[in-house]
Amino acid sequence: MKYFILTLALVATLSITETNRAFAAACCASSSSLPSLITEDSTAQTTVSTSYNESIGNSGPSGRSTFFGENRAENSFRIKFSHAYAINERWQVHAAASTMQNFRKIDNKTDRHWAFGDVVSGATFELLPEYTYHPIRPRVFLIASLLVPTGKTASESENSLVTDASGTGSWGGSFAVHLLKVWTTWDSSLTAQHSRYFSHTRTVSR
């Protein structure tokens, strides 16, 4: 079943860096798909970001859409913690974890639950660095990540409204190419990413 998601803007982002220049890249630090990425003269970068999603309906295999009425409501609030560490000028490693609060109301039943989500870790290699300024040529980063299914899936839920589900339930991996060009007060970026989730076995209670 697919859900229509209204994704609101990130309401808070906090970056902490160990650096000689006291700012970090705003383009990727709070991204939901890309990890925390160090693009300045930093040794480490820690990012805390928040997001809020609200489901307003669903659609079945036929493509017919049904919007929720007053008797149903679903939303989630997520806090994501990301950290990147630079091994040297061109290599860095990253890790991210999140916790989320799910809310669901169906008729007279209502439940709200905090849960720990999946964990992501990986490495980044700067394929094309910028040692001297060029007005057009971008910096190119290659990013590989591994998804560890530490969150609980819907099939593992222990309550009737499934608000304790917070993970995909399967291992996954992703590879991304990230282009970044920074001018004095402006920057531009372009990302191509491929993600793949591996099959998993569901546990069904009888």
Side-chain angles (χ1 to χ4, degrees):
M1 180 177 290
K2 298 180 180 178
Y3 289 94
F4 291 108
I5 303 297
L6 291 180
T7 303
L8 303 185
L10 296 177
V11 297
T13 300
L14 170 66
S15 296
I16 305 171
T17 60
E18 299 172 5
T19 176
N20 295 325
R21 302 175 65 182
F23 60 92
C27 67
C28 314
S30 60
S31 172
S32 60
S33 58
L34 285 179
S36 185
L37 181 63
I38 300 173
T39 61
E40 296 297 332
D41 299 329
S42 306
T43 302
Q45 175 177 289
T46 299
T47 304
V48 181
S49 60
T50 63
S51 62
Y52 174 81
N53 297 326
E54 182 169 354
S55 301
I56 61 173
N58 59 61
S59 61
S62 63
R64 185 186 178 112
S65 300
T66 303
F67 291 92
F68 296 156
E70 295 182 356
N71 64 325
R72 182 166 179 175
E74 297 180 15
N75 61 65
S76 64
F77 174 74
R78 181 186 299 269
I79 304 175
K80 181 180 178 181
F81 302 89
S82 303
H83 184 75
Y85 177 78
I87 300 174
N88 54 41
E89 290 184 351
R90 303 181 72 176
W91 280 98
Q92 55 184 281
V93 292
H94 58 264
S98 64
T99 181
M100 61 189 299
Q101 182 192 72
N102 293 321
F103 170 80
R104 180 169 291 172
K105 171 189 174 183
I106 300 179
D107 296 327
N108 295 326
K109 292 184 178 181
T110 301
D111 190 52
R112 191 186 302 271
H113 190 91
W114 281 97
F116 186 73
D118 294 338
V119 171
V120 177
S121 63
T124 300
F125 176 69
E126 189 170 0
L127 179 66
L128 184 61
E130 187 178 49
Y131 295 119
T132 59
Y133 177 76
H134 190 281
I136 299 177
R137 186 182 63 225
R139 299 169 66 183
V140 179
F141 297 87
L142 304 180
I143 306 170
S145 299
L146 174 69
L147 173 68
V148 183
T150 52
K152 182 180 293 186
T153 64
S155 61
E156 299 169 329
S157 175
E158 298 176 355
N159 63 55
S160 59
L161 296 182
V162 203
T163 53
D164 55 346
S166 59
T168 61
S170 63
W171 292 77
S174 67
F175 178 78
V177 179
H178 181 73
L179 281 66
L180 173 66
K181 183 59 190 174
V182 179
W183 293 279
T184 52
T185 57
W186 298 88
D187 65 77
S188 178
S189 64
L190 177 66
T191 303
Q193 179 173 323
H194 175 74
S195 301
R196 181 179 179 86
Y197 291 92
F198 307 102
S199 60
H200 64 280
T201 301
R202 296 185 178 180
T203 301
V204 179
S205 301
R206 295 183 182 276

